[in-house]
Amino acid sequence: MAKKFHIETYGCQMNVADSEVVAAILTAKGFEHIKDKNEADIILVNTCSIRENAEQRVRGRVQGFTEIRKRNPKLLIGVMGCMAERLGEKLFEEEKNINILVGPDAYLDLPLLIEKASKGEKAINIELSTTETYKEICPTRLDETAISGFVSIMRGCNNFCTYCIVPYTRGRERSRSHNSIIKEVVDLQSKGYKEVTLLGQNVNSYLYKEEENKVDFPSLLELVAKTVPNMRIRFATSHPKDMSDETLAVIARWSNICKSIHLPVQSGSNSVLKDMNRKYTREWYLDRIDAIHRIIPECGISTDLFVGFHNESEEDYQQTLDLMREVCFDLAYMFKYSERPGTKASKTMPDNIDEETKSRRLQDLIELQSASSLESNRRDIGKTFEVLVEGISKRSQEEMYGRSSQNKVIVFPAQGIEIGSLVNVTVRKCTSATLMGEMLTD
Ligand code: SAH
Ligand code: SF4
Ligand code: F3S
């Protein structure tokens, strides 16, 4: 009988995409994917190391599997992804429940690791690669009801922002061949997907070289837009230092490329940005925001920010608030600095902002952002947006929800509208988190 595996995924969208690669690798070797972990022979947890609390959460989950193992003593527990890579063998010692550790570049080895673990040995492969892109693997889509899918276009990161663990857990940056990306996008389309998000830690530095040929990010984006004119295209994440006018022009030119850019700023202070090794200034960032407004006037803009990095003074922090007021982001993901062992900051830049200050700064940031989101949403009242319908609203069976090209969630009364269809909705009301509207019927 086929062995059954279950995958639980934490962390970023890259991990969601990787879990689908792992599902494909295991399915091809005769394993069967199941949704109920209680029935599984193997439970895999795809993990994130970006902040300390992300790791704590996974440890809690893994400890919780003890109950399932009591019922099924042969159960194998595997930890994959960034935590496996960062902690290695140490994780076997700290979490006795774990049988398998596999890093982000070693997933092709997983069938062998499972075989080894089922003989009672601890199995580990956390080797990083400079070339692995899993380009031969066509991912198994784990959420069959989804209409929006992810395609990784590159792996790893070379930026070494001083606070960040990703370059250590994901290894060096490498771009995947445009042909294999296109193949995967077309596969999504043939499976009925209506939207694709191209993924990488820094997508605008995408560069694939093949003999004389070079494909950069704007050319890839255009190639995808041309190949699947009926699909919506998104991408994440863009690094401000590489956000070129050329990329913006491609987004403006193609109606199926969503008018939405996620451009993490991290801080509004030049001295903090310098310590972070972000390689841009506040002025450069604001210039890129101006370029977005100029080239794609209707574009949605979101960001990531964190407070309490090494030496962040009250004045530095005020500059972040100031930048947020100036840009008025539609959406922001906000965090407190969490020191990650092994990073440059952990070695040379003491984590010297106390917890209380971090919490207060974060709280004020969240309040300001909530006011910005509300302001941005209020500006949409009376406007009509094309919405890709994603599902039935949690609040009411009579309402559906979907997203505008700008990536805002819109709820509207509708019945009998198919998930995956495109409808025009006029916004009538809003909160800071959601737009509410009416569908246009012609
Ligand atoms: N590659 C993307 C972001 C990847 S991590 C980029 O460069 O923008 C997602 C977000 O987590 C980051 O944008 C940053 O805001 C946050 N982050 C990363 N390391 C962190 C740390 N050590 N403490 C707190 N937040 C962190
Ligand atoms: Fe981390 Fe910076 Fe790379 Fe983003 S660009 S993954 S923040 S090192
Ligand atoms: Fe987390 Fe690794 Fe993604 S650290 S954010 S899962 S690349």
Side-chain angles (χ1 to χ4, degrees):
M1 218 173 61
K3 278 198 178 167
K4 302 189 189 78
F5 69 96
H6 172 85
I7 311 187
E8 224 171 84
T9 306
Y10 296 88
C12 62
Q13 296 167 333
M14 304 284 298
N15 266 11
V16 176
D18 278 2
S19 289
E20 298 189 330
V21 166
V22 165
I25 292 170
L26 292 181
T27 312
K29 292 282 177 189
F31 293 86
E32 185 190 336
H33 172 255
I34 54 156
K35 288 206 157 73
D36 181 2
K37 62 180 176 307
N38 293 300
E39 309 263 301
D41 301 298
I42 306 146
I43 300 179
L44 296 168
V45 191
N46 199 354
T47 60
C48 175
S49 290
I50 202 82
R51 284 168 290 275
E52 174 62 25
N53 57 9
E55 293 199 349
Q56 288 309 339
R57 197 158 152 229
V58 165
R59 286 179 192 265
R61 270 318 269 176
V62 168
Q63 288 154 11
F65 296 149
T66 311
E67 283 305 308
I68 306 178
R69 179 166 278 148
K70 272 189 201 146
R71 275 175 273 141
N72 173 12
K74 285 195 180 152
L75 174 73
L76 295 179
I77 298 172
V79 167
M80 51 190 261
C82 293
M83 251 177 105
E85 192 64 49
R86 188 178 88 75
L87 293 160
E89 299 270 0
K90 215 163 56 180
L91 204 49
F92 278 143
E93 286 155 34
E94 291 170 1
E95 303 294 340
K96 302 283 180 220
N97 261 347
I98 301 172
N99 308 92
I100 302 163
L101 287 173
V102 59
D105 285 344
Y107 294 145
L108 287 171
D109 201 25
L110 200 49
L112 282 176
L113 294 170
I114 292 174
E115 199 182 306
K116 196 169 160 198
S118 44
K119 291 181 194 141
E121 293 168 56
K122 297 267 179 195
I124 177 168
N125 186 344
I126 54 167
E127 209 156 308
L128 284 175
S129 150
T130 52
T131 53
E132 184 62 83
T133 57
Y134 301 110
K135 71 176 167 34
E136 309 297 339
I137 309 287
C138 187
T140 300
R141 302 296 163 184
L142 292 173
D143 181 358
E144 294 116 12
T145 59
I147 49 151
S148 181
F150 297 125
V151 171
S152 308
I153 63 167
M154 60 205 294
R155 300 182 71 83
C157 184
N158 283 352
N159 288 316
F160 288 94
C161 302
T162 52
Y163 53 83
C164 183
I165 195 69
V166 172
Y168 306 90
T169 61
R170 294 272 169 172
R172 293 296 56 75
E173 181 181 298
R174 66 220 94 127
S175 295
R176 184 176 164 191
S177 91
H178 54 290
N179 289 331
S180 79
I181 294 168
I182 292 293
K183 215 165 110 188
E184 207 177 302
V185 173
V186 169
D187 175 68
L188 276 180
Q189 184 185 39
S190 73
K191 288 180 174 146
Y193 281 72
K194 308 292 180 201
E195 185 177 83
V196 58
T197 304
L198 307 176
L199 291 182
Q201 291 300 347
N202 178 4
V203 286
N204 28 26
S205 76
Y206 174 90
L207 187 65
Y208 185 73
K209 294 180 210 147
E210 201 174 47
E211 286 149 24
E212 294 299 283
N213 245 337
K214 271 192 194 165
V215 183
D216 62 5
F217 185 62
S219 344
L220 177 76
L221 200 54
E222 187 143 53
L223 186 63
V224 175
K226 215 183 282 181
T227 311
V228 288
N230 296 323
M231 275 178 101
R232 274 187 170 187
I233 297 146
R234 299 187 185 276
F235 54 89
T237 298
S238 304
H239 195 299
K241 78 178 164 64
D242 300 313
M243 187 38 108
S244 67
D245 286 3
E246 204 188 339
T247 296
L248 297 176
V250 170
I251 301 169
R253 194 176 312 137
W254 289 86
S255 63
N256 57 333
I257 302 180
C258 288
K259 307 302 180 246
S260 158
I261 295 179
H262 185 61
L263 201 63
V265 65
Q266 315 302 3
S267 166
S269 149
N270 278 338
S271 82
V272 175
L273 288 171
K274 190 153 193 289
D275 282 347
M276 288 177 168
N277 190 31
R278 287 293 285 181
K279 304 184 186 92
Y280 55 84
T281 58
R282 171 194 180 91
E283 293 72 29
W284 171 271
Y285 186 86
L286 290 173
D287 172 74
R288 293 296 78 208
I289 296 291
D290 281 347
I292 296 172
H293 290 318
R294 188 174 67 243
I295 301 171
I296 322 165
E298 75 282 30
C299 197
I301 305 177
S302 56
T303 199
D304 294 347
L305 295 143
F306 66 96
V307 294
F309 187 54
H310 168 72
N311 278 357
E312 183 189 66
S313 67
E314 210 49 41
E315 200 191 321
D316 292 321
Y317 168 64
Q318 287 300 330
Q319 287 181 12
T320 298
L321 293 178
D322 198 58
L323 180 135
M324 289 172 76
R325 279 189 211 103
E326 187 167 341
V327 178
C328 191
F329 292 107
D330 299 301
L331 180 83
Y333 297 96
M334 293 160 284
F335 313 101
K336 282 191 261 189
Y337 174 52
S338 164
E339 188 179 82
R340 310 312 292 132
T343 56
K344 175 146 185 233
S346 74
K347 293 175 191 155
T348 62
M349 301 171 183
D351 183 8
N352 54 5
I353 307 300
D354 62 78
E355 192 53 34
E356 204 180 309
T357 308
K358 283 182 184 171
S359 297
R360 173 181 52 80
R361 288 181 184 169
L362 178 61
Q363 199 46 47
D364 290 351
L365 216 64
I366 292 172
E367 268 169 39
L368 174 59
Q369 182 50 44
S370 168
S372 298
S373 297
L374 185 61
E375 190 184 323
S376 151
N377 284 351
R378 281 200 180 130
R379 280 200 295 262
D380 289 340
I381 292 177
K383 293 186 195 159
T384 301
F385 294 94
E386 189 182 59
V387 171
L388 176 61
V389 182
E390 287 179 25
I392 296 166
S393 154
K394 284 190 200 90
R395 265 195 348 199
S396 152
Q397 282 290 319
E398 273 110 59
E399 288 181 334
M400 311 284 286
Y401 73 93
R403 251 165 238 272
S404 65
S405 167
Q406 288 73 7
N407 209 23
K408 285 191 183 176
V409 176
I410 309 190
V411 180
F412 55 97
Q415 270 174 331
I417 297 283
E418 220 177 301
I419 292 174
S421 43
L422 284 170
V423 294
N424 286 316
V425 179
T426 306
V427 177
R428 299 290 180 213
K429 286 191 302 190
C430 71
T431 64
S432 64
T434 322
L435 300 174
M436 284 150 275
E438 275 170 359
M439 207 168 81
L440 286 188
T441 42
D442 43 22

